[in-house]
Each structure stands twice: as structure tokens, then as C-alpha cells.
Amino acid sequence: MPFWRLVLLGMPFLALAFGHLREMHDQQSLSRSVANMDDMLHMEDDLVSNVEKLAEALSRRAKTIKWGVFKMMKRRQQYKISREPFANPIDSFSLIRHMQSDWLMWLVYLEKPVGQEELAHLHSRMPLLPRYSDFADAAEGIRKMAATYEMPASDIANGLLDGVQYSSHLKPIDCLAMGLHLVKGSRWHAAEQWISAGIEAYDRKGSQVEMELLRGPELADLHRALAQVQMKQKNHEGALQAYQVALKLSPHDSDIFGEYRVLERRYLTLADAGIEPMEQDEEYNEYVLHPPCCSARCEVVRNLTRLYCVYNRVTSPFLQLAPIKTEILSLDPFVLLLHDMVRQKESTLIRASSKEHLLQSEITNTDASSSEDNVAIFRTSKSVWYSSDFNDTTKKITERLADATGLDMHFTEYFQVINYGLGGFFATHLDMLLSDKTRFNGTSDRIATTVFYLNGVRQGGATHFPLLNLTVFPQPGSALFWYNLDTKGNDQRSTMHTGCPVIVGSKWVMTKWVGDQGQEFTRPCVPSSSSAKELPSAERLII
């Protein structure tokens, strides 16, 4: 399949080795879907309860030790106030027996491990906890979300997401972790923003509680990390200032002092030689990968000629009794928004039944010789497939789609139920699987796509067509329908679209792809789009 059919707009093909992809597939990838995120809260409840049991066991041991110390101190006090403490053989015998036996008992008691059951339980749960790959997925989701909606790191850290203020915020340790993740990808400018956001958040009330308990970082660590990132950007003066602040906060840290002295000598050498610091290359343009029009705040003018809303009564006899509210969003390519296609109870049932069966979404390359599906690194979601006759709900929705489009639903792929994860997105792509060269050799391709929106999304998560400047936000129960192939069966590249990153909320969609083979009588080839309104399919709605 041609390169541009998977990733467009100058985006390099982000392919991983098959072995690494398979390894990723075998992992939980917790951040690729928010549907099961509550499972981690339940797990933490279990882990906290387990640690509480350990604390109780340690408390009981401490109480026993204190009681023993009290009894022994009381014995010593009695010996001290006695005039002849060892004249009485009973006292002497008791002391010898105590020193010979009781301290052996204390040795055995103190050597006995405490909390082994709780520790074993904790070890058993460790494989279920998020791995570094899960953190990396989550960090990439935040990075792509920030790039797409042009959100500064400081805004995200303070809970300001695309103009909406939330009570949630990131701690300094979160910001530092995000910065260090970006450092691994040599994204120095973005890393500097996140580390600076961590420094700003350090004085926020309550931000240091978690850090002081176990691992830090100290404020000096943040300034040191800032200096290191500024050095990578050849900002030697800024790096020196950051190191000076770090040394002021932690004057006895030999590592910080050593790095500062090395940089100081290098900077002075460059200054004496009259050599200007090398300019930093521009950072990779994130906006090429994630078009900012996902927010629907584009300045490009759309051609709104002849667009309208109708009650569809013409593509099925049944619609004479129950017409479907239809918005025509584009004539060429033909794009519709169908309302009330999924009932609320149906949506709830689909989401509930899918939750336990979601797997990482994959991509298929039909043109390739291999039949393997690969985990998509530019599609952060989890999904599951259901046949059209899986249950009564899928049967009814299939019938409804046939009525709304006039197409034959006997030639379709399975439903794919999808839940998007943290910053979940689908990079700009086309849905047709074949090139024009291979499509006409008898292999079926996707003539049309339908995206059912199973719920609303509080922020983000739109479907964006960059070449049409068309952005459609999820509306519960609605379905977005378009043709991938024109009236002659050729590619319509203008249908390339983006699943924009989710900012806040859980995005559930269900897709249905219709094959071109089998539609010869419902959508036969015609010479031009102007003749399409004579077809028995949804183009009949064209006035």
C-alpha cells in the first residue's frame, strides 16, 4: 500500500520492528484506553489495604517490644532499690534464668520476619502494575495533545486545558518525569517547558507532600535538570544561571558543583575565543503531525454552497414512516451526519459488553504480502470486533444504516468498537486499503465509512478532515458517513481524516466499513458526481 495511505502531511512512517510491536501487543498498554482505568484504582485500594496490614503488624511488634522493655526496666529498678539485691537466691536464680532464656527468646522474636504475607502479596501484584511502556504511552498522549491544541506545559500542569480550568493539576514530580521523557526523544525545547512548569508548581500548596515521602525531587534537582536541557540547546548563559540556583539550594552537592565548573570553564573559553554558541536547530514541527484545526478554530474559509439538513425519506420505504435526520456536510466528497442512529440503551450495552474484551488497535496493510496486523503506534486506542448479527443491537443498527444509506449491508466488515486512551488519537489517514492500481483486480475495498459516536466527549476527540476544513465533534447517537471512493471507484484523497486527541472524557466510537463489491446495484459507477443524485443510495438526497 502506498506510504501516504497510512500517514499523511509529511509525517514519516513510524514503523517499529515486528518483534518490538509484538512485545508491545503482549503488554497491557493501560494508557491506550480509559475504559479500564478504574481497575487501577481498585488495585491501589487493594495495595493500600495490604500496606495497612503491614503497618499494623509492625505496630503490634513495636508495642510488644515496648512492653518487654518496660518490664525489664521495672526489674532493673527493683534491683537498684534493694539493699542486697543478690543475697536472696531466688533473685539470683531469676536473673540468671532471665539472661539465659529471655534474651534468646528476644533474639528469635526480633529475627522473625514481619509482614512476609503482605510482601508476598505485593510481589504478586507487581506484574499487573503499569510498566515504563505504559508511562511512555501516557506521556506521548500528553505531548500530542499539547501539540495539537497548542497548550503550554504550564497551562496543562495548572489544569488549564484548551481554555477550560479544572481542579486537577500535575505535581512537580509529574512535570519532571514528562520533561525527562521528552529528553529521551531529544525534544529539548518541550522538555525545558515541562521542567520549568515543575519549578513553578513546586511552591503550589500541597505539591510537595508526595515528593517528601519517598523519592523527591528536591527543587535543586529541577534546576539541575533545567540547566542540562539548556546546555543541549547551547544556551550556556541560561544553564549557568540554573546551576547557580541549584547550588544555592544544595551547596554541598558535589555532582551539581562538578557539572557547573565544567560548564563555566567551557563557557569562558568560548567567550574568550569570540566563538558564538551554535544555533539550535528548529525542533520537529509537531503541528504537521497533528493539525491545529482539531479545535475547529481554523482561519481557512469553507465552501458552504448547497449544504443543508433534510429528513431522509427516500433511501428506504421504511423511512416514509420514520425518517432519519440528516445533515449534508460535504457534496464532493459526499459526507453526511446521521442523527439518532444509536439509542442510548444500545450505546450503553455496546460499551458495557466491550469493556472486558478490548485489545490494542492494529493496522492492516492489504497490499503487503504479509497477512500480519501490527499494533498501531500512531493510533492510541483499544478495540474489539463484532459481527453484524452479533446480537439484537448490532442487527438493528445494521438495518438502520442500510435504511439511511441505501447500501447493501451484506457486504460489510465487522463492527469495530473503539475506546480511546489518554490523549487518544488517530493520525491523519485514509480508510481505503488498496491503491487504484490494485483495486480493480477483483479485490474488494472500502467504498464507505461510518463512524458511530457512542457517547459525547467533554473536550477534544473530533473527527477532522484537513482538506475539507471540516471538523465534526462527537454527538451521542449520531453517525458520520462518507464515501472513500468516487463515482468511478477511484480514491478520494480529500477524505483523509484525523481522529483528534481527546482532551477530557472517554471517547467511544463504533466503525463500520462497507465494501465496494456487492454495491453494483445500490451505487453503480456513473460518469460524474453530478449524476450521483440519480443513484438509489444516499446521493438521492442531493437537491
Side-chain angles (χ1 to χ4, degrees):
M1 179 167 57
F3 159 78
W4 50 265
R5 297 177 186 280
L6 288 178
V7 189
L8 309 174
L9 303 178
M11 175 177 174
F13 183 62
L14 304 176
L16 297 181
F18 174 75
H20 184 49
L21 283 168
R22 184 54 55 193
E23 179 183 353
M24 288 174 60
H25 185 271
D26 293 337
Q27 294 176 354
Q28 301 173 78
S29 296
L30 297 169
S31 68
R32 290 190 168 231
S33 169
V34 298
N36 302 108
M37 203 70 73
D38 54 345
D39 291 344
M40 281 196 289
L41 289 179
H42 298 322
M43 184 184 301
E44 186 168 51
D45 288 340
D46 174 68
L47 294 174
V48 169
S49 176
N50 182 65
V51 173
E52 285 179 342
K53 291 179 181 179
L54 177 59
E56 291 172 0
L58 294 171
S59 179
R60 287 194 298 270
R61 168 165 286 207
K63 187 176 181 180
T64 300
I65 293 173
K66 289 181 178 179
W67 175 83
V69 169
F70 170 76
K71 299 296 288 185
M72 288 184 284
M73 293 296 291
K74 188 175 182 181
R75 178 194 292 269
R76 287 191 60 205
Q77 195 66 25
Q78 290 175 347
Y79 285 141
K80 286 181 179 180
I81 62 177
S82 176
R83 293 182 178 179
E84 296 179 333
F86 306 114
N88 191 324
I90 294 176
D91 293 334
S92 299
F93 174 79
S94 179
L95 179 61
I96 292 172
R97 196 250 357 124
H98 164 70
M99 297 298 292
Q100 182 272 327
S101 177
D102 289 352
W103 279 106
L104 286 176
M105 179 274 294
W106 278 112
L107 178 62
V108 172
Y109 182 76
L110 294 174
E111 286 180 342
K112 183 180 179 181
V114 180
Q116 292 301 295
E117 182 179 345
E118 290 77 15
L119 289 173
H121 180 75
L122 180 58
H123 278 294
S124 70
R125 306 298 279 179
M126 292 302 290
L128 302 178
L129 295 177
R131 307 178 187 182
Y132 180 77
S133 60
D134 294 305
F135 164 77
D137 266 354
E140 283 296 289
I142 294 292
R143 179 182 67 80
K144 292 164 184 171
M145 180 184 72
T148 301
Y149 301 100
E150 302 182 50
M151 290 187 286
S154 57
D155 283 357
I156 299 176
N158 288 316
L160 181 61
L161 304 179
D162 200 28
V164 181
Q165 183 64 59
Y166 294 91
S167 58
S168 302
H169 59 265
L170 294 178
K171 297 180 181 297
I173 193 172
D174 299 323
C175 297
L176 179 60
M178 188 70 197
L180 296 179
H181 169 77
L182 293 166
V183 165
K184 290 187 175 181
S186 300
R187 301 177 185 274
W188 311 117
H189 179 66
E192 180 181 355
Q193 286 188 336
W194 276 102
I195 295 170
S196 297
I199 293 173
E200 293 174 8
Y202 197 87
D203 292 329
R204 187 193 302 123
K205 185 178 180 181
S207 65
Q208 301 178 53
V209 174
E210 177 184 355
M211 295 186 298
E212 291 176 347
L213 290 177
L214 291 176
R215 55 175 296 182
E218 299 293 339
L219 186 56
D221 298 325
L222 289 164
H223 283 280
R224 179 188 182 187
L226 178 63
Q228 293 170 341
V229 170
Q230 288 175 331
M231 284 178 60
K232 289 293 185 178
Q233 299 179 87
K234 311 303 180 183
N235 181 7
H236 298 136
E237 185 175 352
L240 283 171
Q241 293 175 357
Y243 271 124
Q244 288 168 358
V245 175
L247 282 172
K248 185 177 180 180
L249 294 168
S250 184
H252 303 297
D253 192 311
S254 60
D255 291 333
I256 296 177
F257 180 74
E259 291 174 12
Y260 171 72
R261 291 304 302 271
V262 170
L263 175 61
E264 186 179 41
R265 286 194 295 269
R266 181 181 179 186
Y267 179 69
L268 291 175
T269 301
L270 290 173
D272 291 341
I275 301 174
E276 292 294 328
M278 184 175 61
E279 291 291 332
Q280 171 70 6
D281 293 335
E282 284 190 26
E283 196 163 87
Y284 188 74
N285 189 356
E286 294 282 1
Y287 304 104
V288 172
L289 303 184
H290 313 289
C293 292
C294 275
S295 62
R297 294 191 291 266
C298 283
E299 298 180 0
V300 181
V301 178
R302 284 188 59 205
N303 182 6
L304 300 177
T305 305
R306 301 176 61 198
L307 302 185
Y308 46 88
C309 301
V310 296
Y311 278 97
N312 179 4
R313 304 176 185 271
V314 299
T315 52
S316 169
F318 176 73
L319 298 187
Q320 294 291 331
L321 299 175
I324 293 176
K325 290 183 287 186
T326 304
E327 292 183 53
I328 299 180
L329 304 180
S330 172
L331 294 177
D332 188 16
F334 195 58
V335 183
L336 302 176
L337 185 63
L338 311 171
H339 291 271
D340 302 324
M341 290 292 289
V342 182
R343 310 289 185 260
Q344 183 175 356
K345 289 184 178 180
E346 295 171 337
S347 173
T348 301
L349 175 63
I350 292 170
R351 286 181 284 145
S353 60
S354 304
K355 186 176 179 181
E356 300 300 324
H357 306 289
L358 295 171
L359 297 174
Q360 292 186 70
S361 297
E362 298 181 334
I363 57 172
T364 301
N365 186 346
T366 306
D367 279 349
S369 58
S370 172
S371 61
E372 289 287 351
D373 291 342
N374 291 337
V375 173
I377 60 174
F378 47 87
R379 183 186 185 189
T380 51
S381 62
K382 289 185 178 182
S383 55
V384 62
W385 297 84
Y386 294 128
S387 64
S388 298
D389 59 355
F390 176 72
N391 55 30
D392 289 340
T393 296
T394 56
K395 290 179 183 177
K396 290 178 181 177
I397 294 175
T398 302
E399 293 172 0
R400 223 170 279 151
L401 184 59
D403 290 338
T405 63
L407 298 177
D408 192 334
M409 293 295 120
H410 292 95
F411 303 93
T412 64
E413 298 182 29
Y414 280 21
F415 286 107
Q416 186 182 33
V417 181
I418 307 167
N419 180 247
Y420 286 85
L422 196 160
F425 80 107
F426 197 161
T428 307
H429 65 284
L430 292 169
D431 280 354
M432 66 279 288
L433 300 173
L434 306 174
S435 64
D436 286 343
K437 181 178 179 180
T438 57
R439 181 176 299 109
F440 300 104
N441 63 4
T443 305
S444 181
D445 202 355
R446 296 167 172 173
I447 190 175
T449 296
T450 307
V451 178
F452 298 88
Y453 297 112
L454 302 181
N455 72 326
V457 180
R458 291 175 64 183
Q459 273 188 282
T463 304
H464 174 63
F465 297 81
L467 297 184
L468 302 178
N469 189 22
L470 174 63
T471 304
V472 181
F473 289 92
Q475 300 179 38
S478 64
L480 184 63
F481 171 87
W482 69 87
Y483 282 109
N484 299 306
L485 308 179
D486 64 19
T487 56
K488 296 181 180 179
N490 296 314
D491 288 349
Q492 294 201 106
R493 297 191 184 185
S494 56
T495 62
M496 66 174 73
H497 55 284
T498 307
C500 297
V502 176
I503 300 176
V504 177
S506 176
K507 179 183 176 181
W508 284 89
V509 300
M510 181 171 67
T511 58
K512 184 73 163 175
W513 287 288
V514 181
D516 56 354
Q517 294 185 6
Q519 310 301 331
E520 291 83 0
F521 297 103
T522 58
R523 205 213 187 212
C525 291
V526 294
S528 64
S529 58
S530 61
S531 306
K533 61 184 178 181
E534 306 298 332
L535 297 177
S537 53
E539 288 94 332
R540 297 182 65 186
L541 296 171
I542 298 176
I543 297 176

